[in-house]
Amino acid sequence: MSDRPLNPDPDQDLIERSQGGDTRAFDELVRKYTPKLYGLVYNMTSNREDTADLLQDIFAKAYRSIKRFQGKSTFYTWIYSISVNMTLNFLKKRGRYTKVSLDDVDNGIQNDPDFIKITSGGNPLKDVNIHELQKRLNEAMMKLSEDHRTVVTLYDIQGLQHSEISKILGVSEGTVRSRLFYAHRQLQNYLEEFRR
Amino acid sequence: MSEFEDIQNIIRLKRHEQPSETFVEEFLVSFQQRQREELLNQSARGLLWERVTTYFDGIFSPKASWAGATAIAVLGVVLFFKVGNHQVTDVAINDALSELRLPQTTSKMEPISDEEVRSYLISRHNEGGLTDETEKNTTIKGITQVEGSLLPVGFKLDIE
């Protein structure tokens, strides 16, 4: 079975130009993937300074390796794999010491149906402060193991499919589902008070 | 409906945590600046090491890539010293051979002094061998040789 993705890579043109030494093409890839990878790294580290530094390292590594990218996976999967591996390595080095520095919550949360549901009448936490909610969510995430936090970030926050996560992490879909199950069960305990 | 759906919905609220709107462009500028600084500051050895490890990253697992790069580096060092030893051995052999050949060559002999050269020339001239006749005034039947001057070829024979 071929390793090549079934669908053509939407980034093919930018990749080929980057491989040919066109730095502007690589800049376009950086523009396109920075918001997505920021979300991934930030939700795994809960620290925005570490996130910015790690993103620099991730794109630097991708830039140095782009010529050897053979298209066996999509660029999307490839850059996500680099990001996850580098973030996990960083977290291992950082150890238990965690300095939390959180991003601002955008105004969109006020209109988010899930946020409305949490803060609607009848919920004991209807008057919950957004910043308090943010703090509690991040604390709960940081209590998860790194492997569990990774799948929760990729699946629940980033909205990736099990199959995509499986390719990025290099594990079976069954492992992804299993990790998600245990992660959700832990989160249920940590965030009990937010549930109806 | 998943038994964890409500938890998933709460966790999804984290999507609203966002960096500032200018983050991406500022990030790109600092990324480009960092690339230029790296190119200027990184030593040749550092660049080589980085490229070797990056090359193996794409082929093997991270652990294996480090092991591979280290193995290559060790191999390089071993080869370097082995070649160095060969060169030292060659020099030693050449020295020994040259010492053995020394009697046959004049490369290490003392240079001949002008005085000695002069004595050989005189002796050839006289064909009388190396005598001290050139250093004395010789008087034979009214012929007086002035010290340092030359006598004609066959003079000795004529005398005899």
Side-chain angles (χ1 to χ4, degrees), chain A residues 27 42 61 64 68 112, chain B residues 16-17 32 50 54 57:
Chain A
D27 288 348
Y42 170 77
K61 191 177 182 91
R64 288 192 293 265
R68 288 185 297 102
D112 190 305
Chain B
H16 294 287
E17 290 177 72
Q32 290 164 338
E50 187 186 288
T54 304
D57 268 355

Side-chain angles (χ1 to χ4, degrees), chain A residues 118 120-128 193 195-196:
Chain A
I118 290 172
S120 62
N123 189 316
L125 293 167
K126 63 181 167 53
D127 295 325
V128 69
E193 60 189 306
R195 299 172 63 215
R196 281 175 182 270

Side-chain angles (χ1 to χ4, degrees), chain A residues 27 31 42-43 56-57 61 63-65 68 104 106 112 114 134 137-138 156-157 188 195, chain B residues 4 6 8-10 12 14-18 25 28 30-32 34-35 50 54-55 57:
Chain A
D27 288 348
R31 272 196 191 91
Y42 170 77
N43 285 304
Q56 291 275 349
D57 294 342
K61 191 177 182 91
Y63 184 72
R64 288 192 293 265
S65 310
R68 288 185 297 102
D104 293 333
D106 66 34
D112 190 305
D114 292 318
Q134 181 191 24
L137 288 177
N138 278 284
D156 292 321
I157 305 174
Q188 205 171 37
R195 299 172 63 215
Chain B
F4 298 117
D6 49 354
Q8 289 176 267
N9 290 339
I10 294 170
R12 280 189 195 123
K14 277 181 68 60
R15 282 175 299 186
H16 294 287
E17 290 177 72
Q18 296 285 338
E25 285 307 315
L28 186 58
S30 59
F31 176 67
Q32 290 164 338
R34 180 183 147 156
Q35 279 184 307
E50 187 186 288
T54 304
Y55 177 79
D57 268 355

Side-chain angles (χ1 to χ4, degrees), chain A residues 150-168:
Chain A
T150 306
V151 290
V152 168
T153 300
L154 292 171
Y155 185 79
D156 292 321
I157 305 174
Q158 302 241 286
L160 273 64
Q161 301 297 311
H162 292 113
S163 58
E164 291 174 304
I165 299 170
S166 151
K167 285 176 192 165
I168 290 165

Side-chain angles (χ1 to χ4, degrees), chain B residues 43-115:
Chain B
S43 67
R45 199 185 308 159
L47 272 172
L48 176 68
W49 177 254
E50 187 186 288
R51 286 184 183 198
V52 168
T53 51
T54 304
Y55 177 79
F56 281 103
D57 268 355
I59 300 173
F60 305 115
S61 66
K63 277 183 185 173
S65 69
W66 273 99
T70 308
I72 293 282
V74 169
L75 189 65
V77 169
V78 168
L79 283 174
F80 176 79
F81 280 108
K82 207 167 182 183
V83 169
N85 281 341
H86 273 302
Q87 285 172 348
V88 169
T89 311
D90 290 346
V91 169
I93 289 169
N94 284 335
D95 283 351
L97 284 174
S98 64
E99 278 179 23
L100 285 173
R101 287 190 207 111
L102 193 58
Q104 298 167 10
T105 63
T106 56
S107 60
K108 289 197 173 180
M109 292 175 76
E110 287 291 317
I112 301 169
S113 66
D114 290 345
E115 203 172 53

